[in-house]
Amino acid sequence: MAQSKSFWKRFVDSQIFWPLVALGLIMLFNAFFTPNFFKLEIKDGHLFGSLIDIINRGAPLMILAIGMTMVIATEGVDLSVGAVVAISAAVATVLINPALGQQLIASDKLVENVTATPLPVVILAALLVSALCGLWNGLLVSRGNIQPMVATLVLMVAGRGIAQLITGGQIITVYFTPYFFIGNGYLAGVPFTLFLVAVVGIFTWLLTRKTAVGMFVESVGINVKSSFYSGVNEKNIKLLVYVISGVCAGIAGLIVSSNVKSADANNAGLGFELDAILAVVIGGTLMTGGRFSLAASVIGALVIQSMTTTMYAIGVPAMAAQAVKAVVVMVVILLYSEQFRNVANRVFTRKEVRS
Amino acid sequence: MSRSFKIDRKYVPMLATICLFVAGYVIGAIQYPGMARPQTFFNLFIDNAFLLIASTGLTLVILSGGIDLSVGAVIALTSVAAAYLMEHTGLSSLIVIPLMLLMGAAFGALMGGIIHVFKVQPFIVTLAGMFFARGMAFFISLDAITITDPFYRTLSLARIHLIGKSFVSVHVIIAFVVLAVFMYLAHLTHFGRTVYAMGGNEQSARLMGLAVGRTKVLVYTLGGFCSALAGLVFSNNLLSGHGLYANGLEMEAIAAVIIGGTLLTGGVGYVFGTMFGVLVNGLIQVLIIFNGELSSWWTRIVIGLLTLVFILVQSTFASMRRRQASIKPARKRPAAASDGLAAPDTPPS
């Protein structure tokens, strides 16, 4: 009995509890206001329904949130993820599209189900380029001693220009079916993207919780100086988290471009940086760095995605939904802030004194 | 006498930008005769008046050690709200204009208040503010609204002739008035000194007894006001309002401020330099248009690179200043006793 109680208490105290409560509240809202929200159907051997939709649509965000969590845990932030998503998508589609460059080819050849480059090469190239983007950010932050926000801002501004440079300013459409599997495929009746999230999640979990890297990341986030004195190579830790964040953005870029079967340098991954930061904040990892929880961030991403899906379901226009999102996020951040807790504590203690 | 020829190091980034602009323009004018026409030069101001207004407000925010990412979104919101009020409720522009400025200031004050009271990072608050403002713009109208208000139209088409046939719009005059007011505020008032002090070190500013909280809220209020004014100029220029206007403008404005020589960590920089940051931004676009072969996305890449260069230059200056004052960061030489002498930099193992 005591054992289970302590488990419950541990669960309530853990970072994962409040994001789960938030997710539960949104689900509860949907149970009442959105018809057929929990309906799961099996069509053509695949699962269909709003819940599956949330997971499928939320996959890029979940992966971004995992990378962003580690960056924020080192007291950094990566503003360039949206741009890196666009770059990764641009690289992948340009390599697939047979009409590379300015050469003109017959339109029937263009829409053929072929790829100009083998698929593994396409994926590796996109991930490599994203890793390079991450490396660039990491070098500016760790070796250039530039604040993370400023350093990643550079790629955020220039990144979309680079993506446009790669695509030649056009929206590149691809017609190669195997590539669509990444964003639209199903494996054992479940969206393939879910497996991708699982792979990224397990990999980062093993890296941070089964090796000392996670502890180093937290120590850098709590106090850079003392980490340095304790022999932690804080520069390489910072470099590592930005590279991981870059690769995560690259994977998200592949999913996004495969999902919509094209790459739009201007709009692919637009606003992802905010969503990813919000997912991490809702997950309870503080912007000031330190303790982090990958699982809580993934749930934070699900909270945001289900919030978005819910708003679409009740008929809020896509562009207007971000206002609601902004308010929710602000409330969450204020609830987490120390000042708010102090004020709340003071109000409660005052009442006790009066009574 | 030699003292007058010595340039203070604090002016170097701003002077570099001014030289960059002048050199860029002269080279452009030699290359493309069209650029040598005075009107091309004045168009630079006409096309970038709104950016200049927004960046000027942002300069003060950045000088205080903060950041405002909501600039572009507030411009969009103002343009839509103004268009909606004029077209669908029939209010006169004479009422709408002050109303919009008030809204912008109130929005800025709200963000500043949250930043100050709850000690949330300005970056997060204004990021949320950016999404809120853009979302609200789409709540008001999903489509672009054309403005037909007669006074607004007159204002938009008014031309002020300067030399010969060349002219500027009213917007340019507004932008210069804003610039002058902000230069006065930043350099000649108590408020301005507090902003610089806060940007240098907020803790010290507070310990010195300066009204840090009030100044902070005021800085964001002025920032919001400028964004709203920029939004009015923007919508006046196009005579319409839409939620997608000025997308990503916050980044252009931040880049302009940095290129203008202001340190993004705050405390160092000049409002005047921002004008040249904006002009360099405009110049790159003009050069790309005159070139005709380069595509528009080169603007973003060049701006990104220029921003990086200026950040690197600034951080080099900052470390040089530190070395000169021999207040070296402890982690650089943990073993050495601080004897006040500048020792060669020993990087950590």
Side-chain angles (χ1 to χ4, degrees):
Chain A
M1 193 62 202
Q3 190 67 33
S4 73
K5 201 173 182 182
S6 81
F7 173 76
W8 172 248
K9 190 153 171 37
R10 267 218 319 266
F11 176 63
V12 170
D13 284 343
S14 79
Q15 234 180 308
I16 211 167
F17 178 71
W18 289 108
L20 274 178
V21 169
L23 192 60
L25 283 175
I26 294 170
M27 291 300 157
L28 201 67
F29 176 87
N30 278 311
F32 288 110
F33 294 100
T34 321
N36 296 332
F37 191 81
F38 291 98
K39 204 167 152 196
L40 282 179
E41 285 179 287
I42 296 182
K43 280 185 197 161
D44 311 328
H46 307 327
L47 279 171
F48 271 95
S50 296
L51 289 179
I52 297 295
D53 224 38
I54 289 172
I55 291 172
N56 204 3
R57 292 271 165 77
L61 188 56
M62 286 192 261
I63 291 172
L64 284 179
I66 289 171
M68 188 68 87
T69 309
M70 296 182 63
V71 172
I72 289 180
T74 63
E75 208 182 347
V77 73
D78 189 352
L79 291 180
S80 71
V81 288
V84 176
V85 163
I87 292 176
S88 155
V91 167
T93 50
V94 158
L95 286 178
I96 290 172
N97 199 303
L100 243 185
Q102 298 296 321
Q103 77 195 75
L104 286 169
I105 60 168
S107 58
D108 57 328
K109 202 178 168 210
L110 188 67
V111 299
E112 252 176 57
N113 185 2
V114 289
T115 170
T117 328
L119 195 55
V121 178
V122 169
I123 292 169
L124 276 180
L127 294 186
L128 193 70
V129 170
S130 330
L132 281 177
C133 292
L135 191 69
W136 164 260
N137 285 333
L139 283 176
L140 285 185
V141 172
S142 66
R143 300 312 198 274
N145 287 327
I146 302 173
Q147 315 137 267
M149 200 195 92
V150 185
T152 55
L153 188 78
V154 173
L155 194 57
M156 182 183 178
V157 176
R160 286 197 185 274
I162 294 170
Q164 277 179 319
L165 192 69
I166 295 169
T167 62
Q170 308 203 326
I171 299 176
I172 306 269
T173 313
V174 290
Y175 299 91
F176 184 51
T177 350
Y179 183 64
F180 302 158
F181 185 78
I182 300 171
N184 297 317
Y186 283 84
L187 205 64
V190 181
F192 179 65
T193 48
L194 195 57
F195 290 95
L196 284 177
V197 174
V199 167
V200 173
I202 290 169
F203 173 76
T204 44
W205 180 77
L206 285 176
L207 182 70
T208 53
R209 296 301 177 215
K210 293 293 153 193
T211 72
V213 170
M215 200 179 69
F216 290 164
V217 166
E218 289 185 349
S219 82
V220 168
I222 292 163
N223 193 330
V224 181
K225 229 172 250 180
S226 60
S227 309
F228 171 69
Y229 284 128
S230 338
V232 175
N233 192 333
E234 96 286 4
K235 294 194 169 177
N236 282 352
I237 291 291
K238 280 186 184 169
L239 196 63
L240 178 73
V241 293
Y242 284 95
V243 172
I244 291 177
S245 174
V247 173
C248 286
I251 299 172
L254 285 175
I255 295 175
V256 168
S257 66
S258 143
N259 205 333
V260 297
K261 301 173 184 178
S262 63
D264 179 351
N266 272 325
N267 294 316
L270 198 63
F272 268 24
E273 49 278 344
L274 180 81
D275 276 359
I277 293 167
L278 298 187
V280 176
V281 169
I282 290 177
T285 302
L286 295 177
M287 290 299 292
T288 45
R291 267 184 64 189
F292 69 94
S293 160
L294 296 171
S297 295
V298 169
I299 292 169
L302 278 176
V303 168
I304 288 176
Q305 189 58 41
S306 39
M307 209 155 77
T308 315
T309 309
T310 306
M311 274 187 284
Y312 293 171
I314 59 176
V316 179
M319 291 303 286
Q322 53 190 14
V324 183
K325 228 190 275 178
V327 172
V328 172
V329 166
M330 215 49 246
V331 170
V332 170
I333 291 172
L334 291 189
L335 287 180
Y336 276 128
S337 82
E338 221 167 277
Q339 274 67 26
F340 180 83
R341 285 184 188 173
N342 287 347
V343 170
N345 282 343
R346 221 178 297 151
V347 170
F348 283 124
T349 44
R350 235 180 241 167
K351 268 184 189 165
E352 275 167 26
V353 170
R354 273 181 200 158
S355 64
Chain B
M1 275 316 283
S2 65
R3 224 173 139 246
S4 58
F5 291 110
K6 211 172 147 194
I7 298 166
D8 198 330
R9 190 182 284 142
K10 64 185 181 181
Y11 294 119
V12 167
M14 186 171 80
L15 289 175
T17 308
I18 296 174
C19 292
L20 187 74
F21 171 72
V22 173
Y25 203 93
V26 168
I27 291 169
I30 294 167
Q31 202 92 17
Y32 314 108
M35 269 183 77
R37 283 188 305 144
Q39 190 55 48
T40 314
F41 181 72
F42 290 124
N43 279 347
L44 213 55
F45 288 91
I46 296 173
D47 296 339
N48 292 300
F50 73 97
L51 183 60
L52 180 55
I53 296 170
S55 309
T56 307
L58 187 63
T59 311
L60 216 56
V61 175
I62 291 179
L63 278 177
S64 79
I67 191 100
D68 187 354
L69 295 175
S70 70
V71 173
V74 172
I75 288 178
L77 176 61
T78 316
S79 77
V80 174
Y84 183 85
L85 285 177
M86 276 185 255
E87 294 309 309
H88 295 283
T89 62
L91 276 177
S92 157
S93 52
L94 292 172
I95 302 168
V96 171
I97 291 172
L99 207 62
M100 287 299 108
L101 295 178
L102 199 66
M103 181 193 77
F107 189 69
L110 179 70
M111 289 195 299
I114 291 174
I115 291 164
H116 171 60
V117 175
F118 292 99
K119 305 276 179 291
V120 190
Q121 285 152 304
F123 154 68
I124 293 289
V125 177
T126 54
L127 195 65
M130 156 182 157
F131 275 71
F132 179 76
R134 223 173 257 288
M136 287 315 286
F138 283 100
F139 262 118
I140 294 171
S141 167
L142 282 176
D143 305 311
I145 307 172
T146 314
I147 300 170
T148 52
D149 185 275
F151 176 69
Y152 219 62
R153 277 190 172 260
T154 324
L155 208 62
S156 168
L157 299 171
R159 300 215 182 308
I160 295 147
H161 288 270
L162 294 171
I163 330 158
K165 278 186 178 174
S166 53
F167 60 87
V168 292
S169 59
V170 183
H171 310 145
V172 179
I173 309 293
I174 298 173
F176 274 99
V177 169
V178 169
L179 190 72
V181 169
F182 271 75
M183 279 169 72
Y184 169 74
L185 279 178
H187 305 305
L188 294 171
T189 63
H190 184 88
F191 164 75
R193 301 315 303 168
T194 313
V195 168
Y196 274 93
M198 266 166 69
N201 191 332
E202 200 179 317
Q203 197 74 28
S204 317
R206 188 171 287 124
L207 290 175
M208 271 156 68
L210 297 171
V212 168
R214 200 182 61 203
T215 310
K216 200 181 261 184
V217 176
L218 200 56
V219 159
Y220 285 94
T221 311
L222 286 172
F225 175 86
C226 278
S227 303
L229 187 61
L232 286 173
V233 166
F234 193 90
S235 72
N236 193 245
N237 214 355
L238 295 175
L239 283 174
S240 66
H242 188 32
L244 270 180
Y245 283 169
N247 209 353
L249 190 100
E250 53 281 344
M251 293 308 151
E252 253 174 79
I254 292 172
V257 174
I258 295 174
I259 294 172
T262 301
L263 196 63
L264 200 50
T265 41
V268 181
Y270 298 93
V271 178
F272 186 66
T274 300
M275 184 176 89
F276 284 93
V278 172
L279 287 179
V280 166
N281 189 351
L283 178 67
I284 293 167
Q285 284 171 10
V286 170
L287 283 175
I288 282 168
I289 291 167
F290 271 94
N291 177 286
E293 280 175 22
L294 288 172
S295 308
S296 62
W297 51 83
W298 279 103
T299 316
R300 291 197 124 171
I301 297 176
V302 173
I303 290 288
L305 286 178
L306 265 184
T307 314
L308 177 69
V309 167
F310 274 83
I311 290 169
L312 287 177
V313 166
Q314 293 270 24
S315 75
T316 315
F317 274 133
S319 64
M320 273 164 70
R321 218 173 295 142
R322 263 205 304 274
R323 205 168 304 160
Q324 251 181 3
S326 94
I327 310 165
K328 291 161 69 72
R331 57 191 283 260
K332 293 242 166 168
R333 38 188 296 224
S338 55
D339 48 9
L341 287 172
D345 218 357
T346 45
S349 55

